[in-house]
């Protein structure tokens, strides 16, 4: 066998491994997006809980101004009971959704670990142990050359690519085994986010309307002087109404993550899709900032 | 109309009804009503808000039931990957694989 032919054998092995490395990078992008998505949805769910409490509280404060008469005591009791039960039930469901998001996040984190570059680096770091094993080959590979390159210099590369090839096989097997589960998961997440978005919009509107009545209109109509922070209260109340549009970004992020996954399954990831998805996930966190600034 | 579409349509109607009763004009008018009517209107408004949230809670409960099967499979995936990580981290196996590869190269070199 000629030296160039041998070089082709080694080079082909490494080229195949390079393809595996590219595929691992695609898996890795998907896992990173999945991790970011599940964290963002978990955070959004937490903010939705806070928003629901704030909105319900402000609504009850508004109702209290309508139900001031001693004869309305029974109505006040009914209101506080019904609202407490309803809010608890809703918050409990959100808490359980967050628990599921933690599981989803752990799944994506495991995927990310399998595809991590660190695994390859760790194995290459252990190359010292390999060199002592060379004696078993019966040929002094450390001084041998292929295509003008020392075989010993190839050892770290070979190790790295063998690990990459194993990583790729594991990731492909996992993709094949659980693709239906993930597709179903992303569809259900989308449905969840649509439901959550609608409730958040409702809560923001209710909160804004109650704020406008209690913090803006009532002090203005009253004979007393305006509170010192009246202008701030007014600005905040009207800003709450505007912010309700931002909740729609979460469902969109879920849709984009699904399209990244579908492309990964089909083996045709398109350039820029990952960045676009991450941008969309970042927008989910905008609403978190908006809600945090409401108080 | 599917169950979900019906829920969405109901929520839309409820939301419109809440919005109409929560305008500044409507709330000021409500304050001016006699006690009995004020009580009725306040409870009605509360029922609309509660009904809207009840539908959301029911939607999320259904979603959580759908996710239950997925949760088991995701956990199975996490466990499988934990095992796979152990396997990759197994230095002996990697040494064997690399040695095997190099031995093939070595045998070819001997033939040259």
């Amino acid at each position: 066998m000629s030296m160039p032919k041998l070089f082709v054998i080694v080079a082909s092995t490494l080229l195949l491994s390079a393809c595996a490395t590219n595929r691992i990078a695609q898996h890795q992008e998907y896992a990173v997006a999945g991790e970011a998505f599940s964290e963002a949805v978990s955070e959004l769910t937490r903010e939705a809980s806070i928003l629901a409490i704030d909105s319900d509280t402000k609504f009850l404060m508004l109702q209290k101004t309508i139900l001031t008469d001693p004869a309305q005591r029974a109505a006040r009791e009914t209101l506080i009971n019904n609202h407490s039960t309803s809010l608890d039930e809703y918050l409990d469901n959100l808490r359980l959704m967050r628990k599921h998001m933690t599981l989803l996040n752990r799944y994506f984190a495991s995927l990310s670990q399998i595809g991590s570059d660190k695994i390859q680096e760790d194995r290459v770091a252990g190359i010292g142990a390999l060199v002592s094993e060379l004696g078993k080959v019966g040929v002094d590979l450390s001084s041998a050359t292929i295509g003008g390159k020392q075989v010993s210099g190839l050892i770290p590369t070979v190790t790295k690519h063998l690990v990459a090839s194993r990583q790729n096989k594991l990731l492909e097997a996992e993709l094949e085994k659980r693709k239906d589960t993930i597709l179903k998961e992303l569809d259900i997440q989308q449905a969840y986010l649509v439901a959550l978005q609608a409730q958040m919009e409702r809560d923001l509107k209710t909160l804004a309307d109650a704020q406008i009545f209690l913090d803006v209109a009532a002090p203005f109509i009253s004979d007393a002087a305006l509170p010192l922070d009246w202008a701030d209260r007014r600005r905040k109340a009207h800003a709450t109404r505007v912010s309700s549009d931002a909740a729609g970004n979460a469902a969109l992020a879920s849709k984009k993550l699904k399209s990244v996954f579908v492309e990964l399954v089909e083996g045709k990831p398109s350039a820029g899709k990952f960045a676009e998805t991450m941008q969309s996930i970042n927008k989910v966190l905008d609403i978190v900032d908006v809600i945090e600034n409401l108080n | 109309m599917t169950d979900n579409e019906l829920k969405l349509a109901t929520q839309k109607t409820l939301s419109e009804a809440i919005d109409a009763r929560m305008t500044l004009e409507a709330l000021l008018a409500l304050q001016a009503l006699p006690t009995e009517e004020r009580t009725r209107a306040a409870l009605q408004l509360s029922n609309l808000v509660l009904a809207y949230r009840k539908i959301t809670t029911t939607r999320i409960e259904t979603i959580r039931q759908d996710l239950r099967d997925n949760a088991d499979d995701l956990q199975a995936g996490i466990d499988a990957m934990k095992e796979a990580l152990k396997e990759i981290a197994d230095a002996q196996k990697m040494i064997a694989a690399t040695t095997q590869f190099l031995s093939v190269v070595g045998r070819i070199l001997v033939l040259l």
Side-chain angles (χ1 to χ4, degrees):
Chain A
M1 182 182 286
S2 68
M3 198 60 98
K5 199 167 181 185
L6 178 61
F7 184 72
V8 168
I9 292 171
V10 177
S12 306
T13 309
L14 297 182
L15 184 66
L16 282 172
S17 303
C19 293
T21 309
N22 283 340
R23 186 73 177 145
I24 291 169
Q26 290 161 7
H27 276 281
Q28 192 68 350
E29 283 191 344
Y30 157 68
V32 167
E35 255 189 291
F37 170 78
S38 49
E39 269 172 34
V41 174
S42 182
E43 193 58 23
L44 183 74
T45 304
R46 194 179 71 86
E47 293 302 326
S49 308
I50 296 167
L51 176 64
I53 298 167
D54 288 349
S55 175
D56 204 58
T57 302
K58 209 76 181 176
F59 179 78
L60 286 174
M61 286 164 74
L62 169 74
Q63 292 285 63
K64 175 78 177 160
T65 68
I66 302 166
L67 303 167
T68 49
D69 199 285
Q72 294 173 310
R73 186 187 169 90
R76 291 197 296 273
E77 277 179 11
T78 304
L79 276 188
I80 192 73
N81 276 332
N82 290 349
H83 277 260
S84 299
T85 307
S86 158
L87 187 62
D88 283 347
E89 197 186 11
Y90 175 59
L91 295 179
D92 203 39
N93 270 282
L94 293 189
R95 183 182 60 77
L96 292 167
M97 279 305 295
R98 282 193 80 199
K99 200 173 160 192
H100 181 82
M101 295 318 298
T102 306
L103 180 70
L104 188 63
N105 187 266
R106 277 176 48 218
Y107 176 80
F108 283 122
S110 300
L111 266 187
S112 180
Q113 256 185 303
I114 294 272
S116 154
D117 284 348
K118 195 177 171 297
I119 293 179
Q120 294 166 25
E121 285 157 15
D122 286 351
R123 292 298 96 222
V124 172
I127 203 67
L130 276 176
V131 173
S132 66
E133 295 286 328
L134 284 175
K136 291 177 187 172
V137 174
V139 176
D140 184 12
L141 285 176
S142 57
S143 59
T145 59
I146 299 173
K149 287 186 179 179
Q150 281 217 320
V151 169
S152 61
L154 284 172
I155 295 171
T157 317
V158 167
T159 307
K160 202 172 174 180
H161 288 289
L162 281 171
V163 176
S165 167
R166 185 70 195 128
Q167 283 176 297
N168 189 45
K169 262 188 196 162
L170 288 167
L171 287 167
E172 290 297 338
E174 179 58 31
L175 180 71
E176 186 54 39
K177 198 166 185 184
R178 256 168 280 275
K179 67 179 176 197
D180 292 339
T181 301
I182 298 297
L183 280 173
K184 187 180 163 200
E185 177 77 28
L186 293 173
D187 277 338
I188 300 172
Q189 289 294 338
Q190 223 168 305
Y192 166 63
L193 289 166
V194 168
L196 191 70
Q197 177 199 346
Q199 185 62 50
M200 287 178 83
E201 280 180 359
R202 183 62 260 157
D203 286 341
L204 279 166
K205 272 187 190 171
T206 304
L207 178 64
D209 287 343
Q211 276 176 334
I212 287 168
F213 183 82
L214 293 170
D215 303 338
V216 182
F220 187 82
I221 295 165
S222 153
D223 293 333
L226 282 176
L228 289 174
D229 62 346
W230 187 80
D232 283 344
R233 290 187 199 185
R234 188 164 189 252
R235 185 175 41 79
K236 204 175 267 184
H238 286 280
T240 304
R241 199 191 281 276
V242 172
S243 65
S244 65
D245 300 338
N249 291 320
L252 186 67
S254 155
K255 206 172 174 181
K256 288 200 172 161
L257 183 63
K258 189 185 166 188
S259 74
V260 166
F261 181 71
V262 169
E263 286 185 355
L264 180 74
V265 171
E266 290 170 353
K268 303 170 194 160
S270 55
K273 189 68 124 194
F274 170 67
E276 206 182 294
T277 307
M278 290 305 281
Q279 250 177 5
S280 188
I281 293 168
N282 272 337
K283 279 188 185 168
V284 176
L285 298 171
D286 288 349
I287 182 71
V288 175
D289 289 340
V290 168
I291 293 167
E292 276 177 355
N293 288 328
L294 288 180
N295 297 307
Chain B
M1 190 180 256
T2 65
D3 182 51
N4 199 41
E5 283 169 343
L6 184 66
K7 282 177 182 154
L8 283 174
T10 311
Q11 277 195 312
K12 192 171 179 282
T13 308
L14 286 169
S15 199
E16 284 166 2
I18 296 167
D19 285 341
R21 286 164 174 78
M22 291 280 285
T23 62
L24 191 54
E25 200 183 0
L27 289 172
L28 289 171
L30 181 63
Q31 302 274 340
L33 291 174
T35 307
E36 211 169 298
E37 281 179 56
R38 229 169 47 228
T39 309
R40 200 169 34 244
L43 288 173
Q44 260 179 8
L45 178 57
S46 162
N47 285 338
L48 290 171
V49 170
L50 293 175
Y52 190 98
R53 191 157 58 210
K54 181 70 191 172
I55 293 175
T56 305
T57 303
T58 309
R59 282 171 78 184
I60 297 176
E61 267 169 2
T62 309
I63 285 165
R64 283 203 306 105
Q65 274 162 15
D66 290 343
L67 286 174
R68 218 161 275 167
D69 291 343
N70 266 21
D72 292 342
D73 208 22
L74 288 176
Q75 187 58 56
I78 292 168
D79 294 342
M81 284 187 278
K82 210 182 278 175
E83 284 304 309
L85 268 176
K86 274 189 206 160
E87 190 203 312
I88 294 181
D90 189 336
Q92 289 305 316
K93 277 188 184 167
M94 194 42 64
I95 288 167
T98 310
T99 307
Q100 200 182 3
F101 175 81
L102 291 172
S103 72
V104 173
V105 176
R107 275 182 213 125
I108 294 165
L109 278 174
V110 170
L111 295 174
L112 292 173

